[in-house]
Amino acid sequence: MKLLILAFLVAGAYGCGLPTFPPVVTRVVGGDDVRPNSWPWQVSLQYRSSNGNFYHTCGGTLISSTWVLTAAHCISSRNTYRVYLGKHSLNTNNEPGSIAISPSKIIVHENWDSYRIRNDIALIKLQSPVSISDSIMPACLPDSGYVLPHNAPCYVTGWGRLWTNGPLADVLQQALLPVVSYSTCSRSDWWGNLVTQSMICAGGDGQLASCNGDSGGPLNCQNADGSWDVHGVVSFGSSMGCNYYKKPSVFTRVSAYISWINNVMTTN
């Protein structure tokens, strides 16, 4: 899969999932400001307000020089969007190495079911290819069908609210969210039958989780060779609060949609 994604990249010395400035991560659960440019595939999906200004609404993941992965629930036909790449601080204009690009196409999964939250995945084609750099670089994607083991250490990143009903973060955040197996997450006192095997649960310890504003963003998991795969797309959490016990963050499992991603990218 990594070879396929690399075929879409502009020529150069960059690959996927290997930041020039690696993230500073620990195996201790905690939320932190990130090292600048350490998650160079993270994007801010922004919508244009009636006042003409653009505002952050969701996260996303650059997966090639022209394609961004996000959640279907982030997309509305009523909105005009732009994709901001290379961002660290949402409230800082003209950050070195950052660029805003309009979409040329937005493809929401044809079986997206907003009522049951199924197939919560979408792809955005950029109007022009982005130049791969230290601050803008695609993530790798996992092998088709791969399922992460229970307690695998993965990191959610985004500018989502720092606590329930709190403000959006200014600076990009990261948090360790250990994976919760489907057999645990589908228990009746966890998420029950709302989760499927095409989803990933992570967190649920009552401490950290993705929150409003993180939707569409990546669940990043490191490979043995040091590269990072994006295994999940932030989909939903508990209405009782972002960090509710036994209600982990739920992600669309990217490895369940590799053939869909490949088909959309090659036919558009």
Side-chain angles (χ1 to χ4, degrees):
M1 185 59 216
K2 296 174 180 62
L3 292 177
L4 177 60
I5 294 300
L6 286 175
F8 287 89
L9 302 184
V10 295
Y14 299 98
C16 67
L18 285 169
T20 304
F21 307 102
V24 178
V25 295
T26 69
R27 292 296 183 259
V28 177
V29 173
D32 299 291
D33 293 357
V34 309
R35 180 185 188 183
N37 302 320
S38 59
W39 304 102
W41 44 86
Q42 174 81 46
V43 311
S44 169
L45 180 63
Q46 304 184 349
Y47 71 96
R48 188 168 63 195
S49 176
S50 57
N51 64 12
N53 294 326
F54 281 89
Y55 296 97
H56 174 86
T57 183
C58 278
T61 303
L62 185 71
I63 60 172
S64 82
S65 61
T66 52
W67 287 96
V68 167
L69 183 67
T70 191
H73 80 264
C74 289
I75 304 302
S76 168
S77 59
R78 298 188 300 272
N79 287 339
T80 298
Y81 295 99
R82 73 179 183 183
V83 175
Y84 223 128
L85 304 103
K87 289 295 289 176
H88 180 65
S89 168
L90 285 181
N91 296 323
T92 301
N93 295 323
N94 303 316
E95 285 182 297
S98 67
I99 186 172
I101 304 178
S102 298
S104 65
K105 288 184 179 181
I106 300 179
I107 296 98
V108 172
H109 195 285
E110 59 275 10
N111 293 322
W112 160 233
D113 182 342
S114 60
Y115 180 73
R116 296 190 303 151
I117 319 178
R118 301 290 191 260
N119 304 303
D120 190 8
I121 192 169
L123 282 166
I124 300 171
K125 187 175 185 180
L126 302 177
Q127 207 166 63
S128 57
V130 66
S131 296
I132 307 305
S133 66
D134 291 344
S135 57
I136 299 173
M137 186 185 304
C140 302
L141 298 186
D143 292 333
S144 181
Y146 182 78
V147 176
L148 291 161
H150 181 73
N151 222 32
C154 298
Y155 293 82
V156 64
T157 51
W159 292 275
R161 301 185 190 283
L162 299 174
W163 59 87
T164 304
N165 297 323
L168 290 177
D170 170 35
V171 173
L172 185 62
Q173 302 285 303
Q174 66 185 38
L176 171 62
L177 293 187
V179 169
V180 178
S181 68
Y182 173 74
S183 60
T184 297
C185 197
S186 59
R187 292 176 183 171
S188 59
D189 57 335
W190 286 64
W191 277 115
N193 60 12
L194 189 58
V195 298
T196 72
Q197 296 192 58
S198 294
M199 301 174 183
I200 298 172
C201 299
D205 58 5
Q207 297 182 43
L208 288 172
S210 58
C211 203
N212 300 83
D214 288 326
S215 287
L219 182 68
N220 308 280
C221 310
Q222 196 168 28
N223 297 306
D225 66 358
S227 65
W228 292 86
D229 286 349
V230 168
H231 277 268
V233 176
V234 178
S235 182
F236 66 90
S238 175
S239 61
M240 293 176 284
C242 296
N243 307 332
Y244 205 77
Y245 184 59
K246 290 189 177 181
K247 292 295 183 286
S249 300
V250 182
F251 302 78
T252 303
R253 180 165 64 84
V254 173
S255 66
Y257 293 90
I258 296 298
S259 61
W260 181 81
I261 292 169
N262 286 344
N263 182 61
V264 169
M265 292 172 69
T266 54
T267 58
N268 290 278

